[in-house]
Structure formats: structure tokens, C-alpha cells
Amino acid sequence: PAPTRLAWTRAVAHRGKLEGNQELIDFAHALEQTCVETVEKGEMTKDLAVLVGGEQKFLTTSQFLEAINKNLQSKLN
């Protein structure tokens, strides 16, 4: 679910803050931004699709993670 993804990225960013690891903080922010941008492009899991509307297409969890990975790699490169 979306709240879980945000909780994890925020936790990773906080860990980076505790360790003084700016690279980890930057990665967490990039991952969170990528998740939001991917959903805004219409690539989302069913839990979000039902909130958008009846005709919204959705991805399986594996497909969504693949989309996130592809978009994150593009952002980081």
C-alpha cells in the first residue's frame, strides 16, 4: 500500500540523518519522488486505482515495483 511505501522512504531518510549519510538521504528522497511520479503517470496498484475511479487500470505489485525500479534508475542516471 502507498502509506507503507512512504513510511519506508521516510524511515530510510531518517536513518540517513541519524548516521549523517547524505547519500542515503538523497536516495530516500529520490525513491519517494519516483513513487509519487510513477503513480501520477497512471502506473499504480489496485489499492490506489480504486480511489481514482472505476476505469483506472492497475498493475500487480511486481509490475509496480518494476515500474518504480525503471523510473528510479532513470532518475539516478
Side-chain angles (χ1 to χ4, degrees), residues 24-52:
L24 184 57
I25 295 167
D26 293 344
F27 174 78
H29 291 162
L31 179 57
E32 183 172 320
Q33 184 179 17
T34 299
C35 289
V36 171
E37 291 169 354
T38 301
V39 171
E40 287 175 344
K41 289 180 188 177
E43 297 175 298
M44 63 190 76
T45 51
K46 188 175 182 179
D47 60 321
L48 296 175
V50 296
L51 299 174
V52 173

